[in-house]
Amino acid sequence: MSKATADTGPPIAPNSDSDVPEQVGVRKEKRSRLLESGKDPYPVQVPITDTIAAVLADHPDVPAGEMTGTVVAIAGRVIFARNTGKLCFANIHSGAGDAIQIMLSLDRVGADELAAWKSDVDIGDHVWIRGEVGASRRGQLSVFADEWGYAAKALRPLPVAHKELNEETRVRRRYLDLIMSPDARKIARQRVETLASLRASLTGRDYLEVETPILQTLHGGATARPFVTHMNAYDIDLYLRIAPELFLKRCVVGGLERVFDINRNFRNEGADSTHSPEFGMLEFYQAYADYNDMARITRELIQEAAQRVCGTLLVTHVDGSTHDLGGKWPEVRVYPALSAALGQEITPQTPSAELVRLCEAVDIKIDPNWLPGRLVEELLEHHVVAKFTGPTFVRDYPVDTSPLVRDHRSEADVVEKWDLYVGGFELATGYSELVDPVIQRERLLAQAQQSARGDVEAMALDEDFLEALEYGMPPTGGVGMGIDRLLMALTGLGIRDTILFPLVKPS
RNA sequence: GCACCGCUAGCUCAACUGGCAGAGCAGCAGACUCUUAAUCUGCGGGUUCGGGGUUCAAGUCCCCGGCGGUGUACCA
C-alpha cells in the first residue's frame, strides 16, 4: 500500500487521520516534519524589505539574462511552480494580485535548501525569499533567491488556477474567490471606493454622517417585513431595522439639517439576483431642499462615484456592455407616462376596476387588497419602466402607496416622490418629506389599520416619531439609495457578487 | 413560492439504451540549471449530496429530503 519504490528519500505517507483528503494529510505531514527539523512553518515575522508591487515598479525593464545588483526580500503566496533538477521557478503573488517570478538555483541556495524547497513547498504556501533582482534568460523579471523560508504553510490545495470556480464555492468561500480571481479582488476594492466616494461627496456638501439604531422597538420607514429578535434584559421583542428614515428625520427635527447614514438594512423577504436579506443603504436628508434638489444631488453622487470607481461616466459592465451615466437624466411623470404608453388617459381618479382590467389585459397578477396606486405602479413597471434604456427618474407617484411623502404642491392626489431606475432596477428613491404631523399621523394610522388587517409589511405607528414631528421639522428632501445596487449599476454584477459575504443557506 | 437544470477525486469536468467510476490540473516517487497551464516516466487518490425503492446489477431509473443555478412571482 505504501510506495516502496523510493530510494533517495522516504515517501511521504498520507497522515493517518481518517477523514482528511489525501492532499491535506500530506501537507500536515510536511508541517510536522518542518517543525521537527526546526523550521517554523508559521513564523511571527518574516524579514521582508519590499512589496512585490514595489519590486515590479522599480524594475520595469531588465534585459534578458541580466542581473541588477539590487537585493530585496519579498513575501507572497506560491501560485504556480516549475521545478527542474537544479533550478526551480515559482510565481508568487501578493494579496493585491501583483505577481513576480522567483528562482532558486543549486549554486545560490545549495543542495539542502533546494531539495527542501522541492519536497516541501506546495502551491498555496506563503513564502519569503531574499535575493537579487534580475531577468531570466527568457527575459522574465525574477528574484534569484539566496535564502528562503515559510511565511505560512497551506494545508489545503488551491483550486485549479485556469478554471472558473463554481458559483457556490465562490460565494461560500469568498477567500478562495479573492485568492484566485482578479475580478473578485477588484469588486472588493470598488465597493470600498464607492463608499468612500459617497462619504466624500456628502461631507463635501456639509452633511454629517450619523449612526442610527439597528435594533428597533418598532419597524418603520419602509414597507417591508422585518426580522424579529428578542432582548432578554427587557424581555421585549426587537426588530432589525428595515430603514433608518424615521431616525434621520428626528435628526433634522433636532437641527442636524444635513445628515446621512450608510447602513445595513434587514428585510425578511426573498433573495435573488437583485435582493439580499441584508443590504447596504445610503439615506440622506437635507433641510430646505425638495425632491428636485435631491434628484440633482443624487445624480451628482452617482456620477462622482462612477468617476472615482470606474474613472469614467461611460461605465463598462462585466458582460462588456457600456452604459453612459453622464449628463442630465430624463424624467418622466407617472400618470402622463403611463397614459402615453397605454394610449388612454390614466389619472389618480381612474377607478380601480379600470386599473384592474388593464392589469389583467397584460397578465399582471394582482392582489384584491391593493389600492389603486399600487395597481398604477404595477402598470407603470410593465409598460414604462421595462422600456428604459439609460438612467431615468420617474416622478409624482400616487399618494396611497407613499405614506411618508408630502402631497404634490400643485397636483391633486399625487406626492412629490421620484424613483431612479438604472439598468432595469430601482437604484434610489427621493421625496419631498412629509412634515405635517397631523397628516403624517393620519397616514401612519392607515398603515396601522392595514397592519391590523394582516399586512406584515405595513409600518407600525411610531408615536415617538410623530411627537418629534410635532415639534416642527423644516421642509426637507430625503433620498434612499441601495449601495449594492449602485455597485451593480457600475459593474453589471449580481448583488451577491457585490457583497463579500452574502447570506447563504448552510450546506 | 412555483417550474426546469445541476450536485461524481483537492479543483474543473466526463461516464451511451442501467453493465468493471475516468480525464486534465493538483498530489506522491524518480529524471531534468531558463521554466512560465514546463516536460518525461511511474504511482496513489471516490460514502458518485443524504435517505429509501426497483433490479441479477444503479452515478444512471423511481420516490422523499438537502444545497446550488436559471427562469418566474413579490419586496429595494
Side-chain angles (χ1 to χ4, degrees):
Chain A
M1 53 188 276
S2 70
K3 290 137 277 186
T5 52
D7 52 10
T8 54
I12 294 175
N15 192 308
S16 54
D17 284 356
S18 47
D19 286 337
V20 303
E22 180 196 23
Q23 296 194 43
V24 175
V26 167
R27 286 160 188 242
K28 281 187 172 173
E29 199 61 38
K30 290 178 179 177
R31 172 187 170 277
S32 302
R33 210 170 57 193
L34 289 169
L35 286 167
E36 281 162 23
S37 70
K39 283 187 184 167
D40 188 352
Y42 304 103
V44 67
Q45 199 173 29
V46 291
I48 59 173
T49 60
D50 290 84
T51 63
I52 293 173
V55 175
L56 293 172
D58 291 347
H59 305 279
D61 246 337
V62 182
E66 299 214 351
M67 302 302 288
T68 63
T70 306
V71 172
V72 298
I74 55 174
R77 186 192 291 272
V78 177
I79 49 168
F80 178 37
R82 303 162 297 283
N83 295 341
T84 72
K86 300 184 183 63
L87 180 62
C88 297
F89 302 85
N91 295 51
I92 63 175
H93 78 180
S94 69
D98 306 300
I100 192 168
Q101 175 166 280
I102 63 176
M103 294 168 64
L104 293 93
S105 63
L106 176 65
D107 51 14
R108 279 179 182 259
V109 300
D112 290 349
E113 285 302 312
L114 189 72
W117 173 277
K118 286 205 282 189
S119 64
D120 293 342
V121 172
D122 290 299
I123 289 173
D125 291 356
H126 291 271
V127 298
W128 66 269
I129 70 159
R130 186 202 317 279
E132 187 177 354
V133 179
S136 71
R137 280 180 208 161
R138 294 286 180 84
Q140 179 72 53
L141 184 71
S142 306
V143 177
F144 292 71
D146 294 312
E147 200 184 344
W148 71 276
Y150 291 92
K153 172 120 193 94
L155 294 185
R156 291 181 182 270
L158 288 182
V160 190
H162 313 285
K163 298 280 189 178
E164 291 260 311
L165 266 181
N166 76 49
E167 182 69 23
E168 189 171 357
T169 308
R170 291 182 46 226
V171 172
R172 285 189 192 276
R173 291 192 280 186
R174 184 68 83 190
Y175 50 90
L176 288 180
D177 194 25
L178 290 168
I179 292 168
M180 305 307 297
S181 160
D183 285 343
R185 293 191 286 269
K186 184 177 172 188
I187 185 66
R189 285 177 163 73
Q190 284 181 319
R191 187 175 181 108
V192 175
E193 283 297 304
T194 300
L195 291 170
S197 175
L198 292 171
R199 286 198 162 93
S201 295
L202 286 164
T203 54
R205 288 170 174 78
D206 296 324
Y207 276 76
L208 298 175
E209 180 169 12
V210 298
E211 292 168 284
T212 56
I214 293 173
L215 289 175
Q216 302 185 351
T217 55
L218 296 167
H219 67 282
T223 51
R225 188 168 188 170
F227 285 92
V228 184
T229 187
H230 187 80
M231 181 181 177
N232 293 333
Y234 295 175
D235 191 25
I236 50 172
D237 281 342
L238 293 173
Y239 303 97
L240 301 191
R241 95 173 134 210
I242 55 175
E245 173 155 352
L246 302 186
F247 288 91
L248 289 170
K249 284 180 172 172
R250 287 172 171 90
C251 290
V252 177
V253 169
L256 305 177
E257 293 185 344
R258 296 185 179 198
V259 288
F260 73 98
D261 188 1
I262 289 178
N263 58 83
R264 190 69 58 100
N265 291 330
F266 307 85
R267 298 192 183 175
N268 206 342
E269 294 166 352
D272 62 23
S273 65
T274 58
H275 295 86
S276 173
E278 56 175 315
F279 64 100
M281 169 86 106
L282 162 68
E283 284 200 10
F284 56 101
Y285 291 80
Q286 179 171 330
Y288 305 106
D290 66 6
Y291 76 148
N292 295 310
D293 300 314
M294 299 317 274
R296 176 179 49 76
I297 295 170
T298 299
R299 176 173 55 77
E300 290 169 359
L301 291 186
I302 292 168
Q303 291 176 336
E304 287 163 21
Q307 191 66 47
R308 174 156 174 175
V309 173
C310 305
T312 170
L313 297 183
L314 192 64
V315 302
T316 302
H317 283 187
V318 284
D319 65 2
S321 61
T322 55
H323 303 262
D324 189 1
L325 300 179
K328 293 201 172 172
W329 299 338
E331 299 182 346
V332 303
R333 295 167 64 213
V334 170
Y335 286 97
L338 184 57
S339 300
L342 285 170
Q344 94 180 58
E345 180 80 3
I346 303 293
T347 72
Q349 288 73 43
T350 303
S352 267
E354 175 62 7
L355 296 172
V356 167
R357 192 191 66 75
L358 288 166
C359 283
E360 285 171 347
V362 288
D363 289 331
I364 295 172
K365 286 184 195 158
I366 56 171
D367 184 319
N369 292 322
W370 282 355
L371 299 165
R374 178 60 184 274
L375 296 168
V376 165
E377 287 184 16
E378 291 293 323
L379 287 166
L380 187 80
E381 285 277 341
H382 187 273
H383 291 286
V384 179
V385 170
K387 296 185 175 69
F388 289 161
T389 52
T392 309
F393 286 104
V394 182
R395 35 190 288 157
D396 301 340
Y397 274 74
V399 64
D400 54 19
T401 52
S402 308
L404 301 172
V405 194
R406 83 157 59 213
D407 290 338
H408 196 279
R409 63 194 76 182
S410 60
E411 293 204 31
D413 298 318
V414 300
V415 291
E416 296 203 351
K417 165 189 170 177
W418 50 256
D419 271 359
L420 170 62
Y421 286 86
V422 181
F425 51 82
E426 192 187 334
L427 173 57
T429 186
Y431 306 159
S432 295
E433 301 293 343
L434 176 55
V435 298
D436 182 330
V438 174
I439 297 176
Q440 182 67 85
R441 177 174 294 275
E442 288 167 4
R443 299 261 183 93
L444 287 183
L445 277 170
Q447 286 284 306
Q449 282 159 9
Q450 275 180 252
S451 180
R453 283 198 299 268
D455 183 348
V456 292
E457 293 183 357
M459 296 180 205
L461 186 67
D462 188 336
E463 280 293 350
D464 181 77
F465 167 66
L466 289 171
E467 191 172 322
L469 281 192
E470 287 168 3
Y471 284 93
M473 175 166 150
T476 299
V479 172
M481 173 158 52
I483 300 289
D484 319 289
R485 291 194 165 187
L486 178 52
L487 261 292
M488 291 161 66
L490 295 179
T491 62
L493 293 165
I495 197 166
R496 298 219 301 183
D497 283 314
T498 70
I499 300 173
L500 273 178
F501 300 103
L503 183 73
V504 278
K505 277 198 191 180
S507 52

